[in-house]
Amino acid sequence: SPLRTVEPYTVLAVIKASSIKSGVFASFWGVVGLVAAWVEADGSNLFLKSRRNSPYGGDQQFRGTTNLSTSRHVIAYRYDGAGTLKLTVDGSTEELDDLGSVSVMQGGAGSSQLLMGWSDVGGTTRFHGDISEIVVIPEALSDDDVAGFRQYARDEWEGLP
């Protein structure tokens, strides 16, 4: 789990928001913090956002610049465990280097849960829309791997760019 150590991870998904509202479609949640794949509303626009947060201090957020609107998209969130986070929408990738770590999340105790469609067990920050497919992988996939998932998704799901 990304909560216990600074572990690499990838979240691949095919999503379609039903409205322009902030929400989480996948998160690791536990007593030591939150690692989440978000969409964030800003006026009439909707953007990907990644968040690593601890209740004991430390909050990292990275928001992409591609407007998702309410169209269906193939997306990828990738963290390499060494400080680089990549957000990919329909083959276009944005990267943030030198993210560092949220130190209080490293080596933390307590269980963690993988949640789909909301950020925590209380059901807050719910995703409003369709999660057609989601894959969570405990490593940072390459650009070629993400492109392969995108091609698979385009063959499987109608209406993808």
Side-chain angles (χ1 to χ4, degrees):
S1 164
L3 291 177
R4 296 187 190 272
T5 59
V6 182
E7 295 290 332
Y9 65 91
T10 299
V11 176
L12 303 169
V14 177
I15 64 168
K16 181 182 185 300
S18 59
S19 60
I20 306 297
K21 293 183 179 178
S22 295
V24 176
F25 57 89
S27 70
F28 293 92
W29 182 86
V31 296
V32 296
L34 166 80
V35 175
W38 293 58
V39 290
E40 182 175 70
D42 185 357
S44 61
N45 299 313
L46 193 64
F47 303 98
L48 289 186
K49 178 179 175 181
S50 177
R51 185 170 190 192
R52 294 171 44 86
N53 177 269
S54 170
Y56 308 108
D59 190 17
Q60 299 170 336
Q61 299 184 41
F62 174 46
R63 187 174 95 174
T65 60
T66 301
N67 181 15
L68 301 175
S69 183
T70 55
S71 301
R72 187 177 305 276
H73 297 278
V74 179
I75 59 149
Y77 291 74
R78 294 177 280 168
Y79 179 67
D80 69 358
T84 299
L85 179 73
K86 294 181 179 182
L87 301 178
T88 304
V89 178
D90 301 324
S92 178
T93 299
E94 297 177 74
E95 184 175 314
L96 177 65
D97 293 318
D98 300 323
L99 189 63
S101 65
V102 179
S103 60
V104 293
M105 292 173 71
Q106 296 180 24
S111 63
S112 65
Q113 300 175 42
L114 174 61
L115 304 173
M116 305 292 175
W118 62 83
S119 63
D120 59 47
V121 294
T124 59
T125 321
R126 185 175 69 85
F127 177 71
H128 300 270
D130 176 59
I131 303 171
S132 302
E133 187 155 343
I134 192 161
V135 180
V136 179
I137 300 165
E139 62 184 73
L141 294 184
S142 70
D143 292 340
D144 288 342
D145 291 334
V146 171
F149 177 77
R150 181 177 183 227
Q151 186 56 54
Y152 155 79
R154 292 173 78 190
D155 293 343
E156 187 71 22
W157 301 99
E158 292 183 22
L160 288 169

